[in-house]
Amino acid sequence: MNKLIKLKNNNYKPEIDGLRAIAVIAVIINHFNKEILPSGYLGVDIFFVISGFVITSSISSRENKNFGSFLIGFYERRIKRLFPALIFYVLLISILICFFNPNPSVSLKTGFSSLFGLSNLYLLKISTDYFAQSTLFNSFTHTWSLAVEEQFYFIFPILIWFSGYAKKEKN
């Protein structure tokens, strides 16, 4: 019974994890065989919507005193959640790429730009088609979606604060 009360207080919704799983499975199936699930990449869009819902729910459940503490708290939670795994992944894969790829520069630059949430812009700059054959050898191509999410996180809390939602204003 205490566990149920704790879940309600944290606003944890297990069905959200189910939706996340469906989105991830759709993307994985699409990457392995586009003919089985041709629109499986839409799982990324589903994941974006879920992320927006979860972030907004998180904001609404917190007490926000002023704009500065709201922004610092928001970015601190995102950094603690995203960057340890991203840094580990980029370092490990970069080392492995150097051993196995005779020309690792594009992959390494993509990985480096992903650390700053800019891999989507870097890939756009070098005009890489996400579905092109050449992207199969870039282990960081998929970080474009994380970059989009990080750029969203840069703008979203500011919009939420000035809309009054984070301050819990009625109007």
Side-chain angles (χ1 to χ4, degrees), residues 125-156:
K125 178 184 166 199
I126 62 171
S127 299
T128 301
D129 178 4
Y130 184 76
F131 299 105
Q133 192 71 20
S134 62
T135 62
L136 293 175
F137 299 109
N138 187 339
S139 299
F140 300 110
T141 301
H142 65 281
T143 61
W144 73 266
S145 62
L146 183 60
V148 169
E149 193 167 351
E150 289 173 9
Q151 291 158 14
F152 171 76
Y153 289 158
F154 185 71
I155 297 168
F156 185 68

Side-chain angles (χ1 to χ4, degrees), residues 60-121:
S60 71
S61 67
R62 297 188 181 278
E63 191 65 37
N64 301 304
K65 295 178 177 79
N66 60 50
F67 184 63
S69 65
F70 168 70
L71 274 184
I72 290 169
F74 180 86
Y75 292 129
E76 182 180 342
R77 288 187 301 278
R78 299 292 78 71
I79 288 168
K80 285 181 180 177
R81 185 170 185 269
L82 296 173
F83 281 90
L86 179 63
I87 290 168
F88 176 76
Y89 173 75
V90 170
L91 286 175
L92 179 67
I93 298 302
S94 294
I95 291 167
L96 292 173
I97 286 171
C98 290
F99 284 121
F100 297 106
N101 187 343
N103 188 10
S105 64
V106 171
S107 291
L108 293 176
K109 288 177 184 175
T110 308
F112 182 74
S113 64
S114 74
L115 294 173
F116 298 96
L118 300 171
S119 59
N120 62 331
L121 299 176

